[in-house]
Amino acid sequence: VAAAAVEALSVKQLQVAPPGRAPQNILCTRPTLVHKVLQTHHTDRVTLGIQSVDEALLSELNRPQSFAQVAESVRLLRDAGVTTINFDLVGGLPGDTTASFEPRFRELLTLDPDMVHIYPYTQKPGQQASPDRAEIVRIGNGILAEQAATPRQ
């Protein structure tokens, strides 16, 4: 598949109007495509499909990205005036472990996202979910609950 086709499929644009509020333009994309998204779209809210905090695991899944790329994406979005930045992760991808997840997830949260979703991995043919899937999702949601109880600076 051509790179341009992958990029086109990796950006979803929505417009929603929450009750009593002005419509919002929302984009969902990969962190590695943020610079291109900002060149072609105006948006209020972006969801970054980070998928995992394990760089080696992401490379194995043909989804290479580094923490530095995610951090730079967040900086670019904030500098462009994007008011809401969400992160989507998938807990329990093949090869995912609780030992690698927790410290890297805490580091990811230092980027101060507005919302984080952790979806349990849905097993695909030939790709076994991590045996730690449920525990990874539980740990992630526990950390998010801890952080929600702590006032933002």
Side-chain angles (χ1 to χ4, degrees), residues 73-146:
S73 297
V74 170
R75 186 193 65 75
L76 288 169
L77 292 168
R78 297 270 187 232
D79 288 352
V82 174
T83 56
T84 305
I85 300 173
N86 303 330
F87 294 165
D88 282 355
L89 289 101
V90 179
L93 290 162
D96 216 354
T97 67
T98 54
S100 68
F101 176 80
E102 185 172 355
R104 291 178 178 147
F105 184 63
R106 288 185 185 279
E107 180 182 26
L108 183 68
L109 295 179
T110 65
L111 300 176
D112 203 25
D114 296 286
M115 187 176 292
V116 177
H117 294 107
I118 305 171
Y119 300 99
Y121 174 69
T122 302
Q123 194 163 302
K124 311 254 185 297
Q127 293 184 324
Q128 293 291 322
S130 166
D132 294 346
R133 174 177 54 185
E135 185 66 6
I136 288 167
V137 173
R138 187 193 67 72
I139 287 170
N141 287 328
I143 293 169
L144 292 172
E146 278 173 23

Side-chain angles (χ1 to χ4, degrees), residues 29-92:
T29 191
R30 294 179 178 189
T32 54
L33 297 177
V34 164
H35 63 287
K36 292 185 182 200
V37 167
L38 291 174
Q39 291 171 358
T40 58
H41 296 83
H42 165 72
T43 187
D44 306 298
R45 183 168 84 187
V46 172
T47 297
L48 296 177
I50 294 169
Q51 306 304 316
S52 175
V53 292
D54 186 326
E55 293 176 19
L57 176 63
L58 286 169
S59 288
E60 288 175 27
L61 298 172
N62 201 28
R63 197 62 204 260
Q65 69 193 21
S66 66
F67 177 81
Q69 287 174 307
V70 174
E72 177 64 4
S73 297
V74 170
R75 186 193 65 75
L76 288 169
L77 292 168
R78 297 270 187 232
D79 288 352
V82 174
T83 56
T84 305
I85 300 173
N86 303 330
F87 294 165
D88 282 355
L89 289 101
V90 179

